[in-house]
Amino acid sequence: MKKNKGIFFVFAGASFYGFTPIFVKSGFSNGYTLGQINIVQMSISFLLLWTFTLVKRSSLRGLNKQNTLQIMMTGCFVGLTSIFYYGAMQYLPASIAIILMFQFIWIGIILEWIFQKVKPAPVTVLSIILILIGVFLASNLSTGSIHSLHFVGIIFGILSAFTYAGFIYFSGKVAVEVDPWIRSSLMVTGSAILVTVLFIRDFPSVLPLSQNLLFTGFGVSLFGAILPPLFFAVGAPLISGGVANIITSIELPIALISARLILSETVTPLQWLGVCIILLSIVLNEAGTRIYLRRS
């Protein structure tokens, strides 16, 4: 029962995150800047999360000055991911931006190798190669369309993959014993401080808050900064990390489907083939690693 509950919450959390491109693209189409979208997102997230946390009277057990700072610093990775991921969508189609960000899968493996000395198994190396092949196809680079992709957007997309991988890695290591509501609230506090520092000049242009900007900010807050971290915090401890990684990959096809149906972006059969290769490589890595560890 607990495992099924964990699978449901992780699946839901990943699914929610897949809808953020809809609101981000809507914000850019209405003429709002990257700074304005991030400011409103983090402000709404900060207010909602702390309101729920205080109303719920979440326990402060296990919290101290040191891990409070660590949690907030981990939250900075969320802020950076939002900045880079949304920045990529400012220059690229949402379908390409999500594929670039999804490189957090193999980047996370490299982080474990560097910080925990966990050497990738042979099947993991094979999976990374397959992921890169999938990215080549899914990004439509095989048709020579790389010239139509904005260089700044590509850089932002790759940076979002590194920061998202950093968030996943450190969020699983820092103060895991602290109440999920407290952790989420402190993380969004760190993100809000970072966004405030980086986009301080955009604050005057946010007020008075227009209806369209409020809609955009609420959408990216709910689907990007509130629901996914909370659902992951509830579901991830109930299942293995490998199963969580496989389920989290549902975010990729959902984002592409929403980009196709709602944003009317073109996703070719070759791109879908690349997406399938990426998803299969993730499953291969998790299943193959288990077999490799049992035999070694």
Side-chain angles (χ1 to χ4, degrees), residues 151-181:
F151 179 74
V152 174
I154 295 175
I155 296 299
F156 275 158
I158 294 173
L159 288 175
S160 72
F162 276 94
T163 54
Y164 193 42
F167 165 69
I168 292 176
Y169 178 82
F170 290 108
S171 65
K173 303 288 186 298
V174 174
V176 293
E177 72 283 357
V178 176
D179 184 280
W181 283 95

Side-chain angles (χ1 to χ4, degrees), residues 40-248:
V40 176
Q41 175 194 16
M42 292 306 169
S43 298
I44 294 175
S45 301
F46 178 88
L47 291 174
L48 289 179
L49 275 174
W50 275 114
T51 297
F52 292 145
T53 299
L54 294 175
V55 169
K56 191 175 178 293
R57 296 182 180 180
S58 301
S59 173
L60 297 176
R61 185 174 56 186
L63 195 66
N64 54 55
K65 291 182 179 179
Q66 181 179 357
N67 61 20
T68 296
L69 181 61
Q70 291 174 340
I71 296 171
M72 291 175 64
M73 291 180 66
T74 301
C76 288
F77 283 100
V78 178
L80 288 172
T81 300
S82 294
I83 293 169
F84 293 138
Y85 182 36
Y86 303 167
M89 280 189 273
Q90 196 170 12
Y91 297 95
L92 303 172
S95 55
I96 301 298
I98 183 65
I99 290 168
L100 290 175
M101 193 197 73
F102 224 76
Q103 302 319 296
F104 77 85
I105 295 292
W106 64 266
I107 293 172
I109 295 172
I110 301 300
L111 289 178
E112 286 191 343
W113 190 3
I114 294 174
F115 292 107
Q116 293 186 266
K117 310 302 180 184
V118 179
K119 186 177 180 180
V123 68
T124 300
V125 177
L126 174 61
S127 297
I128 291 176
I129 294 173
L130 289 175
I131 287 175
L132 295 177
I133 293 174
V135 170
F136 179 77
L137 296 175
S139 300
N140 230 13
L141 299 182
S142 58
T143 62
S145 62
I146 188 172
H147 301 292
S148 64
L149 299 180
H150 201 290
F151 179 74
V152 174
I154 295 175
I155 296 299
F156 275 158
I158 294 173
L159 288 175
S160 72
F162 276 94
T163 54
Y164 193 42
F167 165 69
I168 292 176
Y169 178 82
F170 290 108
S171 65
K173 303 288 186 298
V174 174
V176 293
E177 72 283 357
V178 176
D179 184 280
W181 283 95
I182 295 292
R183 289 184 74 214
S184 297
S185 297
L186 287 173
M187 283 184 185
V188 80
T189 300
S191 297
I193 293 173
L194 176 72
V195 168
T196 300
V197 172
L198 293 179
F199 296 109
I200 188 68
R201 294 182 178 179
D202 288 292
F203 267 86
S205 64
V206 170
L207 300 174
L209 192 61
S210 67
Q211 184 177 354
N212 286 334
L213 183 55
L214 180 62
F215 170 78
T216 297
F218 187 80
V220 291
S221 297
L222 193 63
F223 289 95
I226 296 178
L227 292 178
L230 279 176
F231 276 58
F232 288 153
V234 174
L238 303 178
I239 57 180
S240 67
V243 173
N245 278 339
I246 293 174
I247 298 173
T248 303

Side-chain angles (χ1 to χ4, degrees), residues 251-271:
E251 173 190 330
L252 179 57
I254 286 179
L256 289 179
I257 291 172
S258 64
R260 176 68 183 89
L261 297 180
I262 301 176
L263 299 177
S264 300
E265 292 187 0
T266 300
V267 182
T268 66
L270 196 61
Q271 286 179 284

